[in-house]
Amino acid sequence: MERRVVITGTGLVTPVGIGVQESWDALCAGVSGIGPITRFDAELLHTKIAGEVKGFNPEDHLPKKEARRTELFIAYSIAAARMALEDSGFKLTDQNRSRVGVFTGCGLGGLDVLTQSLRLIDKGKPTRVSPFSIPMMIGNMAPGMISIHMGAQGPNCSVATACAAGNHAIGSSYNIIKSGDADAMFTGGVEAVIAAPCIAGFNSMKALSRRNDDPQRASRPFDRDRDGFVVGEGAGILFLETLESALNRGATIYAEVLGFGMSGDAVHMTAPSSDGAARCMQMALDNAGLKPDNVDYINAHGTSTSLNDISETKAVKQVFGDFAYKIPISSTKSMTGHLLGGAGGIEGVITALTIKDGVIPPTINLDNPGEECDLDYVPGVKRKKDVNIAMTNSFGFGGTNASLILGRVDGK
């Protein structure tokens, strides 16, 4: 009998709040977490805004000495994982820890410590580079440190598939449990790259919004006046386990993972392909054994870039046909900014909460739909709706795509 996989714990560290309830309340209220960059001096850059996490103190989640040598993306991961484990009520023991794994996504890792190390080298001080710089830099230290802090000895892995990384991690964790290689997994995505090289690089690509005088209205997916995305940071971690285990424990179940699809565009390094996204979404539906009209909500990739928003809209129409016009779709990146490798993690949590609470968060700043963007993007205000089946999309540079389908568990 095939194992069913459910979400029993969630953790969030986002630009709109620290903790799941604070973040969720803000998203449902349409609150933007985007503001002027404070992490470094952005005066010389075209873009001077980002979705920074506010009020986060690593020492609240790590021993003081360790916190000082832990890069932000790792600290965010550990904090969100602690939240997810506490929320789940699951107890790791010597008997079960080898069956509990960690699989997360991260696009760039410790870019800030890399930047600092290069500055020291440029100043002729290579011996001043921290001995912790390499472990602070590499993306797999997020699952590695979660494993160490939680005592999880099962499969441990990280993927770096750009903006699809979080969804790839969740889908892979789902398959690991379903196949019997683990009984539970910490999974999701993280990113903390609000650093000069990141902003400068995306500026050179003309990918970022330059609405510096009005930051809270800068991220505007599907809107006619969108001028690029806004970089965000944070972590979203889910705790997955078998349905049998969750029921035996009497755990609260947010949603069931029903299907996972992934594809490659094989078209362009950075420009998205609607065909690739459509194949990915169709694969997720087929994997779940569902038809297009079974889906009640889509959490869109919705980056606020001209090419992505049109491409994703076309892909939804390709997969869902006329039913596309009946599905509520929203982009929570309008409030959080784009967390790159962390996007799928926080949006996975958001999609699970949408199912659990029957509330669809809005797409804010959508004043005038852009050309070819003519679907129901839930503009401006949240919408109450019973959501039994939901899809969440993540598409990344290199033409890498990942779609997840979550569903309500009857009676939960």
Side-chain angles (χ1 to χ4, degrees):
M1 183 177 178
E2 191 172 84
R3 302 170 114 205
R4 295 171 65 183
V5 180
V6 296
I7 301 164
T8 56
T10 58
L12 286 175
V13 176
T14 76
V16 296
I18 298 171
V20 172
Q21 198 61 53
E22 184 177 345
S23 295
W24 180 238
D25 287 348
L27 292 168
C28 289
V31 174
S32 171
I34 295 164
I37 291 172
T38 64
R39 199 64 53 73
F40 66 94
D41 184 359
E43 182 59 34
L44 297 178
L45 298 174
H46 293 300
T47 294
K48 301 172 176 57
I49 57 175
E52 295 182 341
V53 172
K54 295 92 175 168
F56 181 86
N57 183 0
E59 292 180 16
D60 292 340
H61 310 278
L62 294 162
K64 188 174 182 178
K65 185 177 180 180
E66 186 176 342
R68 288 198 299 269
R69 61 182 189 229
T70 300
E71 188 72 338
L72 262 182
F73 82 98
I74 302 171
Y76 289 160
S77 301
I78 294 168
R82 288 194 193 281
M83 295 174 199
L85 183 60
E86 182 178 357
D87 186 35
S88 73
F90 188 93
K91 304 297 182 186
L92 277 94
T93 65
D94 289 341
Q95 287 69 45
N96 67 21
R97 65 179 72 255
S98 66
R99 300 286 299 169
V100 180
V102 190
F103 200 135
T104 63
C106 181
L108 289 168
L111 187 59
D112 191 50
V113 71
L114 174 60
T115 303
Q116 293 173 27
S117 297
L118 289 173
R119 283 177 184 153
L120 287 170
I121 293 168
D122 286 344
K123 291 177 181 179
K125 301 177 181 179
T127 58
R128 295 284 301 277
V129 172
S130 169
F132 298 105
S133 62
I134 299 301
M136 289 171 73
M137 206 182 296
I138 53 180
N140 78 297
M141 289 305 290
M145 294 305 291
I146 290 172
S147 170
I148 290 167
H149 280 266
M150 306 303 158
Q153 298 175 337
N156 190 282
C157 193
S158 176
V159 289
T161 46
C163 307
N167 260 11
H168 277 138
I170 298 168
S172 298
S173 295
Y174 158 66
N175 284 330
I176 286 169
I177 296 174
K178 197 166 73 161
S179 69
D181 290 333
D183 296 327
M185 296 288 293
F186 293 90
T187 187
V190 61
E191 202 78 87
V193 288
I194 299 176
C198 175
I199 306 299
F202 280 124
N203 269 165
S204 293
M205 296 175 65
K206 296 181 170 56
L208 296 184
S209 172
R210 300 184 183 185
R211 198 182 287 257
N212 298 311
D213 295 333
D214 195 8
Q216 295 192 343
R217 293 179 58 77
S219 182
R220 39 197 323 112
F222 309 107
D223 187 75
R224 180 189 64 195
D225 298 319
R226 65 193 185 279
D227 68 329
F229 76 89
V230 178
V231 176
E233 64 174 0
I237 300 293
L238 304 93
F239 189 80
L240 307 186
E241 62 182 297
T242 64
L243 175 63
E244 181 182 17
S245 167
L247 292 176
N248 287 341
R249 296 194 303 110
T252 296
I253 297 174
Y254 286 85
E256 180 175 2
V257 184
L258 297 174
F260 173 49
M262 54 183 178
S263 71
D265 292 347
V267 171
H268 192 275
M269 188 164 52
T270 58
S273 158
S274 58
D275 287 343
R279 282 186 284 104
C280 179
M281 288 187 272
Q282 186 62 57
M283 183 180 176
L285 286 169
D286 293 344
N287 187 242
L290 295 171
K291 298 177 180 179
D293 61 5
N294 294 135
V295 176
D296 300 309
Y297 167 64
I298 298 173
N299 185 286
H301 187 52
T303 59
S304 183
T305 60
S306 177
L307 291 177
N308 171 84
D309 294 357
I310 292 174
S311 175
E312 187 170 12
T313 296
K314 286 180 177 178
V316 170
K317 292 177 183 177
Q318 188 173 328
V319 173
F320 292 88
D322 291 341
F323 190 69
Y325 291 91
K326 300 179 182 179
I327 307 173
I329 303 167
S330 68
S331 172
T332 45
K333 289 183 179 72
S334 60
M335 296 169 277
T336 64
H338 188 355
L339 271 73
L340 309 177
I346 69 164
E347 288 158 18
V349 173
I350 290 164
T351 304
L353 290 167
T354 297
I355 291 170
K356 181 175 178 289
D357 288 359
V359 176
I360 296 173
T363 304
I364 68 168
N365 302 325
L366 180 48
D367 301 324
N368 300 289
E371 185 179 357
E372 299 187 67
C373 296
D374 58 350
L375 299 179
D376 176 7
Y377 305 111
V378 193
V381 294
K382 68 181 180 183
R383 185 177 304 172
K384 291 186 178 181
K385 177 181 170 62
D386 288 336
V387 176
N388 294 309
I389 305 289
M391 174 182 283
T392 177
N393 291 327
S394 292
F395 311 131
F397 281 0
T400 181
N401 308 306
S403 294
L404 285 164
I405 296 180
L406 307 183
R408 183 184 302 278
V409 175
D410 291 342
K412 292 291 175 181

